[in-house]
Amino acid sequence: MTSRFSFPAVGVLTLAALTLSACASDGTASGALTVKASDSSCNISSSKLEAGPSTFKVTNGGSKVTEFYVYAEGDRIMGEVENIGPGLSRDLVVDLPKGTYEGACKPGMIGDGIRETLTVSGEAAKKLSDSEELTAAADSYERYVKSQSDALIVKTEEFVAAVKAGNVDEAKTLFPIARTYWERIEPVAEKFGDLDPITDGREPDAIAEGVDFTGWHRIEKQLWVSNNTKGMDKYADQLLANVKKIVKLGQDAPLTALELAQGSKALLDEVATGKITGEEDEFSHTDLWDFKANIEGSQAAIASLRPVLEAQDPELVKDLDAKFKLVDAELNQHQDMTTGDWKFYDELTKDQVKKLSDAVAALSEPISKVAAVVAASA
């Protein structure tokens, strides 16, 4: 789930203008860049880059959790790294062709962020997409996305039909099932700006940003809090329309191998920031359905990249396999093997939540290395 945009436009421009004076040098950079983020600034070490893979090392010197995005025209997301706590650093590897982009820090992980124009020139020595192995990885994941997308539309249609028919029990049953397909491929949705937050945004974010609370969680609230579907027809229709739009956009612009690598980490971030805290499905407490789907999506991404990773860093593959196995062991004990249903989040003990959190944190470390290995393989 990506935050909605909310910073007032004038405020953004003013803040950005104040920040840019302290920003990048004029030299053209290649490879490694630094981003010094704070609660009021976003200093990128260079605003002029050479075409090809660039690694942004983002360090949060502020007091708020932040994130960093690279946007193409129309706020199409080229790469993102989320959930960077105060004092922490995270790397974002992005393959940028010649063109004009914007780098954006988002203190508090809300709003349009503090932006700087990035100008990319020249031609990459070798495009990542030229690699036969990386092309095969992207094609493999595209087939996975296609299968999940087809099921997502079918299950969302069934969920919407139940909501519009006023069938509360059936809608409650279908809610976590339909979301499973959504959560497995959410990095696809996150490429398309506001479509993800209006489809999967949470109520506190909508309130904070002064926008209508819509999407999956608006209907979830009505089902579990009010135990009816009154007034939900328009939200159900909007949900289905947006899901279909995201699927179509995703098919027209499939993830590259590098975006796939970033997506495998983004899915773990989704677990760490929403599911492990019980915030994502705060009304239904069906977070473990989403948790498992995020892990499965991340595993699918790594599986597509496996031939590349085995050739470049076989020890990393062994580490990933071991850490995925640990997460599965901790998570799967909470599933009813007869019905396939998962334990509700509010039934977990604090010790069980901590063990799940520790397993995800352990997996995040090797996953965070995958993008750099993919970029280096070109």
Side-chain angles (χ1 to χ4, degrees), residues 280-296:
E280 181 82 11
D281 299 324
E282 61 176 317
F283 308 109
S284 63
H285 305 298
T286 54
D287 302 270
L288 291 193
W289 275 264
D290 294 0
F291 189 137
K292 181 64 174 179
N294 283 158
I295 296 299
E296 289 174 337

Side-chain angles (χ1 to χ4, degrees), residues 63-95:
S63 62
K64 302 175 182 176
V65 176
T66 194
E67 54 193 6
F68 179 74
Y69 287 73
V70 176
Y71 289 112
E73 183 178 3
D75 277 358
R76 184 166 61 89
I77 298 172
M78 301 298 290
E80 62 174 305
V81 57
E82 301 179 349
N83 196 32
I84 311 170
L88 299 181
S89 294
R90 294 274 301 276
D91 288 346
L92 171 65
V93 185
V94 189
D95 187 23

Side-chain angles (χ1 to χ4, degrees), residues 81-83 90 264-274 360 364:
V81 57
E82 301 179 349
N83 196 32
R90 294 274 301 276
S264 67
K265 180 65 171 64
L267 284 166
L268 284 189
D269 289 342
E270 284 285 326
V271 173
T273 58
V360 170
S364 291

Side-chain angles (χ1 to χ4, degrees), residues 170-187:
E170 185 177 358
K172 284 182 176 179
T173 299
L174 289 169
F175 175 78
I177 296 172
R179 284 183 54 77
T180 292
Y181 300 98
W182 168 268
E183 294 288 347
R184 284 177 183 154
I185 59 171
E186 192 164 7

Side-chain angles (χ1 to χ4, degrees), residues 18 26 35 39 55 112 130 152 160 175 188 193 226 232 236 290 316 342 345:
L18 289 172
D26 290 328
V35 180
D39 295 345
T55 300
D112 284 342
D130 286 346
L152 171 62
V160 165
F175 175 78
V188 175
S226 301
M232 290 298 103
D290 294 0
L316 177 60
W342 292 86
Y345 182 85

Side-chain angles (χ1 to χ4, degrees), residues 38-54:
S38 74
D39 295 345
S40 59
S41 64
C42 184
N43 297 327
I44 305 174
S45 58
S46 179
S47 60
K48 296 182 179 179
L49 317 178
E50 292 181 357
S54 290

